Every structure is written in structure tokens, then in C-alpha cells.
Amino acid sequence: MSYLIILIVVVLAISPIFQFLPSPRQKLIVRLRETAFKNGLYVECCKDAELELVKESEFFDGRELMFYGLRRSGGKTPLVDSMSWVRDRNGWCGDSISIDLSETLEKLPRNVIAVKIDSTTCGVFWTENGSENDVCDIANLLRVFKEDSDRF
């Protein structure tokens, strides 16, 4: 009987330690962000002003959005305005009609909600529901956006 009481006390003393272990979701996010960093991307929480852009998408469900971006070099001609595209049920719609990146945008993972390109960065907004391969795909396509946007 005394061994049972000692066992219960030990289990009660150790159990709070398990709350400090990362959940599977937290482990996934760490792997995604490490992959992003290895591919030259930076990660930011979505700012309120940027949320207005994303709220237009019917795929935005209110979850926390992250911005995975690639810095643009101090290119030849910086963009005057930012350009953005938002995923909707029919595909992608954007505020920059003169630039057609629809084929490239279709290659993005389904959980990417929006794309933004401005004078300093190009990047995507997503909920980090994906795999490390998705991050590699995003990084490769952002490099294409960066090269294409240097010609705008």
C-alpha cells in the first residue's frame, strides 16, 4: 500500500513536466520555420494592415496567419505600389492586372491565401498547414516572383 501511495505522489509530481513538451503542431511549425530559414526566407506574424488584404479571401478562416517572405535586393527600379493577389474560389485575383503571374500562382500550395510583392519584399500569407516540401515550393516560387518583379 505504501508503494502505491509513493507511486501516486511521484506521478503527480512529474505530470506537470509533460505540459512543457511541445505538441505535434508546435514541432511541425518549428520544422516549417527552420526549412524556411534554410531556404533564405524570413517569417513574420501577419500585421493588422495586411489582414485587410487577406480577409477578402474566402479561404481565410480567422486563424493566425504567417507571412513567409523573401527580401528583394535594392533592385533597379523599386515598385511604386505594392501588388497583391488573393486566392478565391475561381483561382487568384489581384490588384495588378498588367502583370500576369497566374500560372506561377497556381503552383503554390492550396493553403497559401495571398501573395504580396512590394519594393522591399515578396511573400505569401498562409496558416502553416502544410509540409516542409510546401515551404520549399513556396521558397522556389518566391524566387521566381522576385526575378519577375525585378522586371516590373
Side-chain angles (χ1 to χ4, degrees):
M1 181 67 176
S2 63
Y3 289 115
L4 182 60
I5 293 173
I6 292 172
L7 180 66
I8 292 172
V9 169
V10 169
V11 168
L12 289 174
I14 294 176
S15 64
I17 293 173
F18 290 105
Q19 292 186 359
F20 293 109
L21 296 176
S23 70
R25 172 80 177 144
Q26 290 169 327
K27 290 177 185 177
L28 172 66
I29 289 174
V30 167
R31 287 195 316 271
L32 293 176
R33 293 179 185 176
E34 284 176 349
T35 303
F37 180 72
K38 288 176 185 174
N39 281 282
L41 303 180
Y42 68 95
V43 179
E44 290 181 347
C45 286
C46 195
K47 300 175 184 93
D48 289 337
E50 293 165 337
L51 275 176
E52 292 303 318
L53 161 72
V54 180
K55 284 180 183 175
E56 297 172 13
S57 173
E58 59 197 47
F59 294 100
F60 179 59
D61 58 4
R63 281 193 253 177
E64 181 177 278
L65 279 180
M66 299 303 290
F67 181 77
Y68 279 49
L70 182 64
R71 302 233 187 260
R72 294 182 68 211
S73 58
K76 306 161 193 149
T77 313
L79 298 170
V80 176
D81 295 321
S82 68
M83 298 176 286
S84 58
W85 293 266
V86 178
R87 185 187 300 267
D88 65 12
R89 138 175 2 141
N90 300 322
W92 290 90
C93 60
D95 56 11
S96 181
I97 298 167
S98 62
I99 300 163
D100 184 23
L101 294 175
S102 57
E103 288 181 22
T104 308
L105 292 169
E106 288 302 324
K107 295 176 186 173
L108 284 167
R110 290 291 303 160
N111 52 12
V112 171
I113 295 174
V115 175
K116 181 180 97 169
I117 301 175
D118 63 22
S119 60
T120 60
T121 189
C122 58
V124 300
F125 296 92
W126 75 317
T127 57
E128 294 181 310
N129 288 329
S131 67
E132 291 147 278
N133 288 336
D134 289 339
V135 175
C136 291
D137 292 344
I138 289 170
N140 292 333
L141 289 168
L142 286 178
R143 286 187 198 95
V144 171
F145 292 152
K146 180 182 174 184
E147 291 169 11
D148 287 348
S149 66
D150 285 342
R151 294 185 302 226
F152 301 154

